[in-house]
Amino acid sequence: MTTTIPSLTLVRRIAAPPARVFAAWTQPEMMARWFGPHHTRVDQAEVDARIDGAFRIHMTEDNGDRHEVGGRYLEIEPERLLVFTWAWASMPERESRVTVRFRPLEDGTEITLTHDRFADAATATRHRRGWTESFERLIALHLSNLEEAR
């Protein structure tokens, strides 16, 4: 019997060039503006966007609950690819993996996010909601109107 390890894939289009979209994923001040579900805010984002560099994001829900997630970058191709581990501070043993691909389009960027290696299907379902709402917040930023990514 083969056991399937739960995963999720989301594809979104953003009306901004890959450089700006990539910056939104790798610059802490930009991540703080969109990362997390609607009912959360980022209190602190730390990013060392290099192979084996770490990221850590501290979030607070509207009800006051606090969460911390982090991981290490496994692969980075500027404006094309990010692969990183993902683990909540409350459950570091349940590490999963996120792959984000950025594809240039004539009118912006297509992002394909695959989050895999979940412990169970319920965890994948919760993360699908979180990533969906994060993408909604990212798209709402209108990255094409922000300053040029450095």
Side-chain angles (χ1 to χ4, degrees):
M1 180 164 106
T2 303
T3 302
T4 302
I5 298 174
S7 67
L8 66 89
T9 299
L10 299 171
V11 179
R12 297 294 185 272
R13 292 175 181 231
I14 297 182
R20 289 190 186 147
V21 179
F22 188 83
W25 283 81
T26 57
Q27 294 180 5
E29 64 279 359
M30 289 182 73
M31 287 182 80
R33 295 178 64 186
W34 66 270
F35 196 90
H38 293 304
H39 66 282
T40 64
R41 74 175 180 279
V42 172
D43 300 314
Q44 182 180 5
E46 303 165 16
V47 178
D48 181 8
R50 61 180 175 84
I51 301 297
D52 206 34
F55 74 93
R56 182 134 327 269
I57 300 168
H58 302 261
M59 295 177 276
T60 302
E61 291 186 45
D62 291 344
N63 66 9
D65 289 349
R66 294 175 177 230
H67 306 282
E68 180 181 329
V69 68
R72 296 220 166 267
Y73 292 99
L74 305 174
E75 296 179 51
I76 299 176
E77 293 178 35
E79 301 177 26
R80 299 193 60 205
L81 175 71
L82 286 173
V83 181
F84 49 90
T85 61
W86 177 272
W88 293 98
S90 59
M91 294 181 282
E93 71 283 358
R94 293 180 77 173
E95 186 176 87
S96 54
R97 179 182 62 188
V98 178
T99 301
V100 187
R101 296 185 186 284
F102 305 86
R103 186 171 69 91
L105 302 172
E106 189 173 303
D107 60 347
T109 305
E110 180 181 84
I111 301 173
T112 302
L113 178 141
T114 302
H115 194 155
D116 60 7
R117 301 182 183 174
F118 287 112
D120 53 53
T123 302
T125 298
R126 285 191 303 276
H127 280 78
R128 177 176 297 280
R129 184 186 63 111
W131 284 120
T132 296
E133 292 182 10
S134 288
F135 271 127
E136 290 170 0
R137 293 175 70 180
L138 178 60
I139 291 166
L141 275 181
H142 301 291
L143 291 174
S144 59
N145 297 328
L146 295 178
E147 290 182 30
E148 284 291 325
R150 291 185 178 90

